[in-house]
Amino acid sequence: MELMNYLNEHFFTQQQLLDISKVSQQDLLSYQQQGLMPKCSYQLRLQLQSDSFFGLHHEEQTIEYYAKGYAAWLGLIQVSSSVSAVFEVFATRYKMALEDLKRQGHSTSNAKVNAEFDAHIKQEWAHFLNGIYGLCTRSGLPEDIAAKELAILEINELLDVDELTQAQLSQLRLAVNLLDKASSMFAPHERLNSSRQRLINEVRYQYQLAI
């Protein structure tokens, strides 16, 4: 099944995450309940049927999938389990990633990553804990989240311009490439409606952008 192949290649099952991180299932649940650890990004509910000499057998199984970057996040939590301290790590890493990207030439006038950053980062933290960014970024970690957000803001600003100059087209190409690098591939059934399709594939085709 294509979906299972995608998930098994790009994500850790809960058991794999626990084994790699040396964390118990009870501790993982506790971290999630405390607002320290993201929820899973995908949950598969499987109904299995086996037919053999001994007759039919039915079995139900639920498998949770987590971004591979969450193994490192679990390591961070085990060093400091204070919600305020862990949030501060998230916010600092996010902000540093934005500043680094701006030094590389990326820019946006959107208030979310400028004057309204404090409110924005709280909203990003909520999305992070809900498992959303484990689904739509490659690592699920603050650096990819910041890159994805900045790239989307850049791209949308440039798409609002009626006729782009060569300099703006170059900026658009850089922003699209940044989004490509930070974004996940998305599950097969999600791709046509994903931000990757709208803001990478379609924009590259429309503006004939080189990768």
Side-chain angles (χ1 to χ4, degrees), residues 106-124:
H106 294 277
S107 65
T108 176
S109 59
N110 193 290
K112 288 199 295 185
V113 292
N114 293 293
E116 297 173 4
F117 179 78
D118 289 346
H120 171 68
I121 198 64
K122 291 177 182 177
Q123 185 177 52
E124 294 288 83

Side-chain angles (χ1 to χ4, degrees), residues 32-84:
Q32 290 173 326
Q33 291 173 338
Q34 291 175 64
L36 295 166
M37 177 67 193
K39 298 176 183 176
C40 65
S41 294
Y42 291 92
Q43 189 177 76
L44 286 189
R45 296 180 181 88
L46 304 177
Q47 293 186 340
L48 306 176
Q49 178 177 301
S50 172
D51 190 2
S52 71
F53 172 79
F54 290 95
L56 287 174
H57 169 73
H58 296 274
E59 185 176 325
E60 293 186 358
Q61 184 180 10
T62 299
I63 307 175
E64 291 186 349
Y65 286 89
Y66 291 83
K68 290 186 175 181
Y70 289 168
W73 192 257
L74 270 173
L76 182 154
I77 292 171
Q78 292 175 81
V79 174
S80 174
S81 57
S82 160
V83 175
S84 59

Side-chain angles (χ1 to χ4, degrees), residues 14-15 18-19 22-34 36-37 64 66 74 77:
Q14 184 190 87
Q15 191 58 56
L18 297 177
D19 291 343
K22 303 296 187 286
V23 171
S24 70
Q25 187 178 45
Q26 183 177 358
D27 285 340
L28 175 64
L29 179 60
S30 176
Y31 290 144
Q32 290 173 326
Q33 291 173 338
Q34 291 175 64
L36 295 166
M37 177 67 193
E64 291 186 349
Y66 291 83
L74 270 173
I77 292 171

Side-chain angles (χ1 to χ4, degrees), residues 169-181:
L169 282 171
S170 294
Q171 188 72 23
L172 181 62
R173 180 180 62 81
L174 288 175
V176 169
N177 288 348
L178 177 62
L179 184 58
D180 189 5
K181 183 179 178 181

Side-chain angles (χ1 to χ4, degrees), residues 117-177:
F117 179 78
D118 289 346
H120 171 68
I121 198 64
K122 291 177 182 177
Q123 185 177 52
E124 294 288 83
W125 174 247
H127 293 328
F128 171 72
L129 291 178
N130 281 329
I132 294 171
Y133 284 121
L135 181 154
C136 64
T137 67
R138 290 188 185 268
S139 69
L141 296 175
E143 292 74 17
D144 275 346
I145 300 171
K148 180 179 175 68
E149 184 65 21
L150 180 59
I152 288 174
L153 293 174
E154 276 190 289
I155 293 167
N156 284 329
E157 282 185 4
L158 290 165
L159 294 182
D160 283 340
V161 177
D162 290 334
E163 188 171 345
L164 296 176
T165 64
Q166 283 301 313
Q168 288 171 323
L169 282 171
S170 294
Q171 188 72 23
L172 181 62
R173 180 180 62 81
L174 288 175
V176 169
N177 288 348

Side-chain angles (χ1 to χ4, degrees), residues 47 100 198:
Q47 293 186 340
D100 185 52
R198 297 192 314 274

